[in-house]
Amino acid sequence: MAAAQKLTDQELIEKIRKVRLADLSDGMDALGLVNVGSMSTDMRPLRPGIAFAGFAYTVKLIKSQEPVIPSSSVEEYFKKNGEWCREVYTFDRIMKNDDITDKVLVIDMDGYPGGVLGSDNMLAYKFRGMAGAVVDGGCRDSFECNLEEVNVFSTRRTFHHVSFRLAHGGVNIPVQCAGVTVHPGDVICADDDGVLVIPRNRAEEVLEFAIAILQADQKARTAKYEALGMQPDYTLNRLGE
């Protein structure tokens, strides 16, 4: 297939958001990238209906080797927790200096069930325009996160915090997330079917195939809708043509 005219990041992500993960996956297959970028089925949304796409902003967290000493008072606990959080959430301080619009926070915790994300920080990220978060580990405050309609996929549900459990391991470096190597800037796409990682340097090729596949599907399903007397819905015109 002939190379398409190069798209800006904004144009690319807007077009990708109009197609289904199924179409994008088929586009990967067409390029010989079979199963490449397909995260484990352990990676699931906090609730049905979450769908987003954006560019990877990667974070690595590692298991802490520091001993945990019991606190003798509430004040001491808050002091220790605050010190630990300042270490773990180094990535959060770095992100405050960056534009995270249309970014997807991808956190590699090696599946550890610690709640690095929750209702407070996800609400702050939503306010700043972050598309969503994908965590190979835990998210907590699930009920509140769903009330707030924040976009999180995770491999674990947990009530644990990350304090006393994990430590900072790096920001904007290649990470492993649910079985896939993710590089900063890769395209992360998520919907009820799962999470797909598209290498940034192949994204426009994948999109070209995906659009053609979607158009063929819409045409075939439109005929079936008509035969069954069903009213058309937006899935028959995702591209707005």
Side-chain angles (χ1 to χ4, degrees):
M1 185 173 290
Q5 182 179 357
K6 186 170 179 60
L7 302 172
T8 66
D9 283 353
Q10 187 62 43
E11 290 169 337
L12 175 69
I13 212 66
E14 286 178 357
K15 289 178 179 291
I16 282 177
R17 287 170 178 164
K18 292 180 179 181
V19 300
R20 305 167 301 181
L21 256 68
D23 306 312
L24 293 164
S25 176
D26 291 354
M28 295 275 280
D29 292 350
L31 295 172
L33 303 174
V34 176
N35 294 330
V36 174
S38 300
M39 287 196 181
S40 165
T41 54
D42 292 336
M43 184 66 75
R44 300 302 304 158
L46 285 188
R47 63 185 180 280
I50 298 177
F52 58 81
F55 300 101
Y57 192 107
T58 60
V59 171
K60 172 70 175 177
L61 298 181
I62 58 178
K63 289 183 181 179
S64 173
Q65 304 301 314
E66 295 293 322
V68 179
I69 301 173
S71 299
S72 59
S73 67
V74 171
E75 292 77 14
E76 184 181 1
Y77 164 75
F78 276 117
K79 181 176 183 293
K80 288 179 179 178
N81 184 61
E83 291 170 351
W84 204 290
C85 283
R86 279 190 288 277
E87 159 64 17
V88 174
Y89 287 96
T90 297
F91 74 87
D92 190 78
R93 295 195 299 277
I94 294 171
M95 284 173 61
K96 287 180 179 176
N97 297 319
D98 295 334
D99 180 5
I100 61 171
T101 305
D102 291 331
K103 298 293 194 301
V104 174
L105 182 59
V106 179
I107 304 181
D108 173 8
M109 297 167 56
D110 196 26
Y112 191 89
V116 64
L117 298 177
S119 56
D120 183 47
N121 55 6
M122 279 306 303
L123 202 57
Y125 301 149
K126 178 180 180 178
F127 178 77
R128 292 181 57 198
M130 190 172 77
V134 174
V135 188
D136 192 355
C139 177
R140 65 181 193 166
D141 311 328
S142 298
F143 179 75
E144 292 175 358
C145 283
N146 287 332
L147 282 179
E148 297 165 359
E149 297 185 341
V150 295
N151 294 337
V152 180
F153 276 65
S154 66
T155 56
R156 300 288 186 272
R157 293 291 186 93
T158 187
F159 42 74
H160 293 154
H161 202 281
V162 287
S163 289
F164 316 114
R165 295 176 171 87
L166 296 170
H168 177 70
V171 173
N172 279 328
I173 58 174
V175 298
Q176 291 290 317
C177 191
V180 177
T181 300
V182 182
H183 295 86
D186 282 349
V187 179
I188 312 297
C189 307
D191 69 14
D192 285 320
D193 290 338
V195 178
L196 177 68
V197 181
I198 305 174
R200 177 62 184 88
N201 64 345
R202 306 302 300 273
E204 291 183 40
E205 297 173 84
V206 172
L207 177 61
E208 189 174 1
F209 278 100
I211 288 174
I213 292 164
L214 174 60
Q215 288 171 329
D217 172 86
Q218 290 179 154
K219 182 178 180 180
R221 289 195 301 116
T222 294
K224 294 178 178 66
Y225 270 54
E226 292 172 352
L228 291 166
M230 294 171 60
Q231 290 298 312
D233 57 50
Y234 83 96
T235 70
L236 300 180
N237 188 26
R238 288 177 175 269
L239 300 172
E241 297 173 334

